[in-house]
Amino acid sequence: MRILLVEDDLRLVAELKPQLQQAGFAVETAHDGIDAEFLGREEAFDAVILDLGLPGKPGLEVLTEWRNAGLDMPVLVLTARDAWHERVDGLKAGADDYLGKPFHVEELLARLEALVRRQHGHASSRLQVAGLVLDNDLQRVTDQQGVEHPLTGREFRLLRYMMLNADRVLSKNELSEHVYEEEDLRDSNVIEVYINRLRQRFGKRCILTRRGQGYVLPSQPEHGS
Amino acid sequence: MRILLVEDDLRLVAELKPQLQQAGFAVETAHDGIDAEFLGREEAFDAVILDLGLPGKPGLEVLTEWRNAGLDMPVLVLTARDAWHERVDGLKAGADDYLGKPFHVEELLARLEALVRRQHGHASSRLQVAGLVLDNDLQRVTDQQGVEHPLTGREFRLLRYMMLNADRVLSKNELSEHVYEEEDLRDSNVIEVYINRLRQRFGKRCILTRRGQGYVLPSQPEHGS
DNA sequence: AATCACATTAAAGCAGCCTTAAACCCCGCT
DNA sequence: AGCGGGGTTTAAGGCTGCTTTAATGTGATT
């Protein structure tokens, strides 16, 4: 899951970012409204944490512009604890949830995960696609025969993203954007290597190649071509 | 075991806290309803002792809010001895047990331990998981061969928490939160050291490492995959 | 056939974990 | 107070296993 953290307080960012990463998110950051608006518009995020008190451009304005541009990723707004009018404005502008500062990181994580799950239409931490059962908490997958496969961090992130977006062609670029934080992987074949690993674990049929396009995880095994 | 003690009478807290710690609990305290509600919601406790006569926010309200938020930790309510209606209200609001003031500390401890055991589905002070038998009273463990292992305090707490939460990945962070009172152990490797001790005692297979995630105590030995 | 895109494999690089030893601390004892 | 011992914590280096690179193989496309 790739998220955008928009916050100008660098101390807070330094505290939050590692914990978000720990929780399995790939985190990009923006420190002012201009950057935030640009990043959110130009890149693909699964969720956004947006502080309203920003230099450059007000957070609310950023949010409004995103929504006007047709972007529908879930946005969690950070407000001062007692500024209830900000919350109302935020929700009107298209925020999906809000949290008053100061807050506990655990709550932020919980709300964030709830948002992402809601977005992808999954109520639980388990995900069933293509005959596989993926357990978010234990970071492992059970196959059709009931065999459990403990996965490494990257294997797990990649497979999860593919299961969340089954039956869609996913370019290597899109995949690496959602599995990594840095993006300069143009001249790397990591994704190919990890696709190969997953195939070794779950069978070659499991993931199809669309030459020149990307990869697909069919939700039910395909016959023929 | 980490518990939250909610009590505004500081004399009573001063008396209780050491005894609870003596009994092997890590104790956090709150002195009014606001703090209590917040702490209970945001942090993980294995049990709560809740006095109803609180400043800030009534104890019952605190309890109700916790339950509405989906928290299910056992709560032991302290009431005035003769205020039976408070008990009824307490139980309705989701309390698991109650105790009239004044009381004997021994009784509080006994009820508390009963609650914690019940929560984790154990009726006795003995805990059998993963081929080990842990004796809460004697603070020792018997292995499959019937060999008795006297454990030190920390070893014991760590192993108990892992046995209570077998088959779940436990991060070093979660472990230290439940084994220690202070939490600033970010730059310490105590947990690694104690995991190592337990493995030396009970065999390496006993505890599995999920790199980057934490540790698991499988309830029955796993066969590789 | 030449080229391109992907597959496969081995090995280097690296981060996190394991292990050990020594320092520390608390308590009971002399 | 000084001492001793068990328990606890710190610190350092080695080690394992995940990640990434890079080199080579294979099949499609021109």
Side-chain angles (χ1 to χ4, degrees):
Chain A
M1 297 295 100
R2 187 147 178 273
I3 66 174
L4 174 61
L5 172 59
V6 185
E7 170 62 64
D8 61 316
D9 179 350
L10 296 183
R11 279 216 343 260
L12 186 55
V13 170
E15 182 196 345
L16 240 45
K17 193 170 175 179
Q19 301 206 53
L20 289 165
Q21 292 171 339
Q22 173 85 18
F25 294 103
V27 181
E28 287 291 319
T29 56
H31 308 301
D32 64 69
I34 312 283
D35 283 3
E37 198 275 327
F38 182 79
L39 274 173
R41 179 158 41 79
E42 295 301 327
E43 299 191 18
F45 294 99
D46 298 292
V48 178
I49 300 172
L50 178 65
D51 186 16
L52 289 191
L54 289 175
K57 183 184 284 192
L60 276 181
E61 197 172 310
V62 172
L63 179 52
T64 307
E65 290 179 18
W66 284 342
R67 295 310 190 205
N68 287 342
L71 300 168
D72 65 346
M73 68 285 193
V75 173
L76 192 158
V77 162
L78 300 180
T79 71
R81 177 155 289 280
D82 297 324
W84 64 271
H85 56 279
E86 278 195 346
R87 295 179 194 163
V88 176
D89 293 344
L91 291 174
K92 277 187 187 165
D96 297 273
D97 197 358
Y98 53 80
L99 187 57
K101 291 205 277 190
F103 54 84
H104 279 247
V105 179
E106 291 79 8
E107 183 171 8
L108 179 63
L109 286 175
R111 287 176 181 274
L112 199 57
E113 275 160 12
L115 277 183
V116 171
R117 277 202 301 272
R118 198 197 302 165
Q119 170 77 350
H120 287 281
H122 295 286
S124 87
S125 67
R126 284 173 58 181
L127 191 56
Q128 289 193 44
V129 167
L132 301 175
V133 182
L134 176 145
D135 187 315
N136 260 306
D137 298 329
L138 292 180
Q139 185 171 317
R140 72 178 189 196
V141 167
T142 310
D143 65 17
Q144 282 139 325
Q145 287 82 39
V147 183
E148 290 173 2
H149 298 268
L151 299 182
T152 71
R154 292 257 182 260
E155 289 168 353
F156 184 77
R157 280 196 191 176
L158 178 59
L159 180 58
R160 179 176 56 190
Y161 190 76
M162 297 194 75
M163 287 175 77
L164 282 170
N165 298 86
D167 294 321
R168 230 188 75 207
V169 179
L170 307 168
S171 70
K172 280 183 280 195
N173 227 300
E174 175 175 358
L175 288 173
S176 56
E177 273 182 6
H178 285 267
V179 168
Y180 290 87
E181 328 228 342
E182 330 83 46
E183 46 235 65
D184 300 343
L185 303 183
R186 313 249 153 116
D187 47 354
S188 164
N189 67 336
V190 251
I191 295 297
E192 290 169 6
V193 171
Y194 275 96
I195 290 283
N196 184 37
R197 296 245 170 99
L198 292 179
R199 280 174 171 159
Q200 286 183 3
R201 279 226 157 77
F202 304 109
K204 298 203 111 155
R205 306 286 152 69
C206 183
I207 297 171
L208 308 176
T209 303
R210 286 272 174 279
R211 192 185 169 82
Q213 306 293 311
Y215 300 93
V216 195
L217 177 78
S219 59
Q220 30 201 37
E222 291 191 5
H223 305 297
S225 60
Chain B
M1 297 294 100
R2 188 147 178 274
I3 66 173
L4 174 61
L5 172 59
V6 185
E7 171 60 65
D8 60 316
D9 178 349
L10 297 183
R11 278 215 343 261
L12 186 54
V13 170
E15 182 196 346
L16 240 44
K17 192 170 176 179
Q19 300 205 54
L20 289 165
Q21 291 171 339
Q22 174 83 18
F25 294 102
V27 182
E28 288 288 320
T29 57
H31 308 301
D32 64 68
I34 312 283
D35 282 4
E37 197 274 327
F38 187 77
L39 274 174
R41 177 159 45 78
E42 296 302 331
E43 298 191 16
F45 294 99
D46 300 291
V48 178
I49 301 172
L50 178 65
D51 187 16
L52 289 191
L54 289 175
K57 183 185 283 192
L60 276 182
E61 197 172 310
V62 172
L63 179 52
T64 307
E65 290 179 19
W66 284 342
R67 295 311 189 204
N68 286 342
L71 300 168
D72 65 346
M73 69 283 192
V75 173
L76 192 158
V77 162
L78 300 180
T79 70
R81 177 154 292 278
D82 297 324
W84 64 270
H85 56 278
E86 277 195 346
R87 295 179 194 166
V88 175
D89 293 344
L91 291 175
K92 274 189 189 166
D96 297 272
D97 197 359
Y98 53 82
L99 188 55
K101 292 205 277 191
F103 54 84
H104 284 257
V105 179
E106 291 78 11
E107 183 174 4
L108 178 63
L109 285 176
R111 287 177 180 275
L112 198 57
E113 275 161 12
L115 277 182
V116 171
R117 281 200 300 270
R118 196 199 302 165
Q119 168 77 350
H120 289 283
H122 297 284
S124 82
S125 67
R126 284 172 55 188
L127 188 57
Q128 290 194 43
V129 168
L132 301 175
V133 183
L134 176 145
D135 189 313
N136 260 304
D137 301 328
L138 296 177
Q139 185 170 317
R140 70 175 191 200
V141 168
T142 311
D143 66 17
Q144 281 143 323
Q145 286 81 39
V147 183
E148 290 176 1
H149 297 267
L151 299 181
T152 72
R154 292 255 183 260
E155 289 169 353
F156 185 76
R157 279 197 193 176
L158 178 59
L159 181 57
R160 179 175 56 189
Y161 190 76
M162 296 194 78
M163 287 175 77
L164 284 170
N165 297 85
D167 293 321
R168 235 188 72 207
V169 178
L170 307 169
S171 70
K172 280 183 277 198
N173 227 301
E174 175 175 356
L175 289 174
S176 55
E177 273 182 6
H178 284 267
V179 169
Y180 290 87
E181 324 229 346
E182 331 83 46
E183 47 233 66
D184 300 343
L185 302 184
R186 312 240 156 124
D187 47 353
S188 165
N189 68 337
V190 249
I191 295 297
E192 290 172 10
V193 171
Y194 275 95
I195 290 283
N196 183 35
R197 296 247 172 97
L198 292 179
R199 295 219 256 233
Q200 285 182 4
R201 280 224 156 79
F202 304 108
K204 299 205 107 154
R205 306 286 151 69
C206 181
I207 297 171
L208 308 177
T209 302
R210 285 265 176 284
R211 182 175 255 254
Q213 297 291 123
Y215 300 93
V216 194
L217 177 78
S219 59
Q220 32 199 48
E222 290 194 3
H223 312 297
S225 59

